[in-house]
Amino acid sequence: MDSGQYRSGSPAGESRAPTPVKIVIAGGFGVGKTTFVGAVSEIIPLTTEAAMTTASLGVDDTSHIQGKTTTTVAMDFGRITLDSDLILYLFGTPGQDRFWFMWDDLCRGAIGAVVLVDTRRLDACFAAVDYFEQRELPFVVAINCFDGVLAHAVEDVREALAIGPDTPIVACDARVRESAKTTLIELVQHALARASAVLRSPANTRGGVGAGTSNP
């Protein structure tokens, strides 16, 4: 869907400050988070890549990513403007278990997350899925199509991850800007739908703020 749907509808000639929105790009080790942020960012992305050393042997599984020589040790940061009044700030998480202590800080204030998945190593994304489910933070699963090939059907991946039908799963190529952008739009739509559903829930409409009240 065109990102133009997010326009505020302000009168012609009236400008408004863009709304900043925080998005987390998460997933396991080597699934393409840094590539995703770098491909879609309209600014030169901030990365905290460090060279992999022999200390990671037997700890980081590189069997399917043998050309990988660096890894994120803190975060990736990028920015993309979806429309004149909506800017996404992207925060990529480190993938290894030993850096998970950073996730709470990186996710604070985010409206949602993209969980990148490598179907050759589905187990690498289980922790990320569990993390966002437990915190009830909206997320979408993005199957990174390495070599441009979707190796497994979307519904097969959904079943393998034990993810309910309300969580979107999309195919993307983290190397391609438009593909990554489409994934981010899907997440924003999902987060907005979740927020709207919460506002419409009985707990918020029955006797809630503004229900049956008027100004004195």
Side-chain angles (χ1 to χ4, degrees), residues 7-8 17 26 36 54 81 167 206 215:
R7 292 194 174 98
S8 62
F36 184 102
T54 55
T81 302
T167 299
R206 190 190 312 116
N215 293 327

Side-chain angles (χ1 to χ4, degrees), residues 125-138:
C125 76
F126 289 163
V129 170
D130 289 344
Y131 181 92
F132 296 117
E133 285 184 337
Q134 291 169 7
R135 287 157 180 79
E136 299 184 345
L137 186 68

Side-chain angles (χ1 to χ4, degrees), residues 156-179:
D156 290 340
V157 174
R158 182 183 301 279
E159 182 177 355
L161 295 176
I163 291 177
D166 293 338
T167 299
I169 299 182
V170 299
C172 82
D173 188 331
R175 303 166 300 178
V176 179
R177 186 177 194 274
E178 283 305 313
S179 182

Side-chain angles (χ1 to χ4, degrees), residues 146-205:
F146 289 87
D147 301 320
V149 176
L150 181 62
H152 301 277
V154 167
E155 289 310 310
D156 290 340
V157 174
R158 182 183 301 279
E159 182 177 355
L161 295 176
I163 291 177
D166 293 338
T167 299
I169 299 182
V170 299
C172 82
D173 188 331
R175 303 166 300 178
V176 179
R177 186 177 194 274
E178 283 305 313
S179 182
K181 182 178 178 180
T182 299
T183 300
L184 292 171
I185 292 173
E186 182 73 25
L187 172 61
V188 172
Q189 291 176 337
H190 178 53
L192 287 173
R194 280 275 300 270
S196 296
V198 170
L199 291 174
R200 291 195 306 267
S201 67
N204 285 289
T205 57

Side-chain angles (χ1 to χ4, degrees), residues 18-99:
T19 300
V21 173
K22 183 177 182 179
I23 299 291
V24 174
I25 311 300
F29 170 68
V31 296
K33 300 180 295 296
T34 299
T35 300
F36 184 102
V37 173
V40 78
S41 180
E42 64 195 16
I43 62 173
I44 297 175
L46 168 67
T47 63
T48 55
E49 294 276 283
M52 297 180 64
T53 67
T54 55
S56 67
L57 295 176
V59 178
D60 299 328
D61 180 11
T62 59
S63 58
H64 291 286
I65 44 176
Q66 296 179 7
K68 187 172 179 62
T69 59
T70 61
T71 186
T72 300
V73 296
M75 70 172 189
D76 300 313
F77 175 77
R79 185 189 74 195
I80 177 174
T81 302
L82 280 189
D83 196 45
S84 60
D85 60 358
L86 183 62
I87 298 178
L88 305 186
Y89 290 96
L90 312 177
F91 290 78
T93 66
Q96 297 98 320
D97 299 5
R98 58 187 176 276
F99 297 124

Side-chain angles (χ1 to χ4, degrees), residues 33 115 120 122 209:
K33 300 180 295 296
V115 177
R120 300 169 300 180
L122 270 181
V209 176

Side-chain angles (χ1 to χ4, degrees), residues 99-143:
F99 297 124
W100 281 351
F101 68 90
M102 300 179 181
W103 280 41
D104 285 345
D105 287 335
L106 289 175
C107 295
R108 188 172 292 114
I111 68 159
V114 173
V115 177
L116 275 173
V117 169
D118 178 355
T119 56
R120 300 169 300 180
R121 300 176 293 119
L122 270 181
D123 58 319
C125 76
F126 289 163
V129 170
D130 289 344
Y131 181 92
F132 296 117
E133 285 184 337
Q134 291 169 7
R135 287 157 180 79
E136 299 184 345
L137 186 68
F139 69 96
V140 300
V141 172
I143 305 172

